[in-house]
Amino acid sequence: MQDVHGVTISHQTILNYENSVALLLKPYVDHYPYELSDQFCGDETYIRVNGRWHYLFFFFDAVKKIILSYRVSPNRDTASAIQAINDVLIKMKEIPENLTFVVDGNPIYLLAQHFFAQHQISFDVKQVIGLTNEDPVSTEFRPLKQIIERLNRTFKGNYRSTHGFGSNHGSVSFVTLFAAYFNFLRPHASLEGKVPVVNPELSGLPTMPARWTKLIELAQRWIVEQRTA
């Protein structure tokens, strides 16, 4: 901006803009009517917030490559697992009878399963244990676990340069923008170079800045429509 337009923009101004855009995009990302498959996986990774390690809970459609939950929590606990799984459930038009989540060996997911069962919501949990296939479940479902681990690595590749965040709000903004980019703007080799969520209003634009601008416009339009509905 300084070189092209002679305008000096501070680091704080950029952060403020990032937070504002994330605030607009989050409802759109969270409530978009995704077309989902029947293969879902979840995992946690680390994210540094205000000098302390927090946990980022990802849940992911392994076939469509869509991030369905991206919760940042100071705790790796059952409540966080429940909230992350609920993020997935509310995106389903109806809960399939054979719904299965593939996760790691952390017992919080079994406790979350028990919580939902008490509320008449049933699903199966397949836990992939360790790094080697020592049991039939791990052998069968490790490929799905590896898919969510690749998502974690992709996120870390984008996150590493930030050196962490000074506030929870900043971390949530960053993760929201990452999820929006991943779902709507980032081409995937496994999808033959297509983005997970194909929107004609985005795909016809020639540059990434133009697509970001249009995505923000779509999110604003969605918010207005919800308020006037």
Side-chain angles (χ1 to χ4, degrees), residues 107-151:
I108 60 176
Y109 295 110
L110 295 179
L111 294 172
Q113 179 191 31
H114 180 66
F115 169 84
F116 283 105
Q118 290 180 316
H119 293 80
Q120 290 72 54
I121 299 174
S122 299
F123 53 81
D124 198 4
V125 172
K126 301 295 185 182
Q127 293 191 292
V128 177
I129 309 297
L131 300 176
T132 58
N133 296 327
E134 303 294 339
D135 61 89
V137 172
S138 295
T139 301
E140 180 178 357
F141 291 98
R142 188 170 300 279
L144 284 177
K145 183 66 166 57
Q146 290 171 333
I147 288 174
I148 191 74
E149 288 172 351
R150 284 198 293 272
L151 171 62

Side-chain angles (χ1 to χ4, degrees), residues 69 71-73 77-88 112 116:
S69 181
R71 285 190 172 266
V72 177
S73 172
D77 58 9
T78 303
S80 299
I82 290 170
Q83 291 172 331
I85 291 173
N86 190 62
D87 288 340
V88 182
F116 283 105

Side-chain angles (χ1 to χ4, degrees), residues 12 75 130 165 168 172-173 187 192 208 210 228:
Q12 186 60 51
N75 303 308
F165 303 94
N168 187 64
V172 172
S173 294
E192 299 180 345
M208 187 59 72
T228 57

Side-chain angles (χ1 to χ4, degrees), residues 37-40 60-66 144 147 190-191:
S37 75
D38 59 354
Q39 298 187 45
F40 304 100
F60 190 55
D61 186 317
V63 175
K64 298 296 185 71
K65 310 302 180 189
I66 297 171
L144 284 177
I147 288 174
S190 60
L191 299 175

Side-chain angles (χ1 to χ4, degrees), residues 13-97:
T13 298
I14 295 173
L15 289 178
N16 292 343
Y17 179 74
E18 174 189 328
N19 291 335
S20 298
V21 171
L23 195 63
L24 278 173
L25 287 176
K26 185 169 176 54
Y28 187 75
V29 173
D30 289 350
H31 297 284
Y32 191 87
Y34 298 108
E35 294 294 330
L36 303 178
S37 75
D38 59 354
Q39 298 187 45
F40 304 100
C41 46
D43 198 12
E44 324 91 52
T45 189
Y46 297 97
I47 184 170
R48 200 162 185 82
V49 180
N50 202 21
R52 299 181 62 184
W53 288 113
H54 283 47
Y55 300 93
L56 171 57
F57 285 76
F58 274 132
F59 270 83
F60 190 55
D61 186 317
V63 175
K64 298 296 185 71
K65 310 302 180 189
I66 297 171
I67 296 173
L68 301 172
S69 181
Y70 49 96
R71 285 190 172 266
V72 177
S73 172
N75 303 308
R76 193 183 190 188
D77 58 9
T78 303
S80 299
I82 290 170
Q83 291 172 331
I85 291 173
N86 190 62
D87 288 340
V88 182
L89 297 177
I90 62 176
K91 292 177 176 64
M92 296 178 175
K93 297 174 183 177
E94 60 181 41
I95 298 175
E97 293 183 2

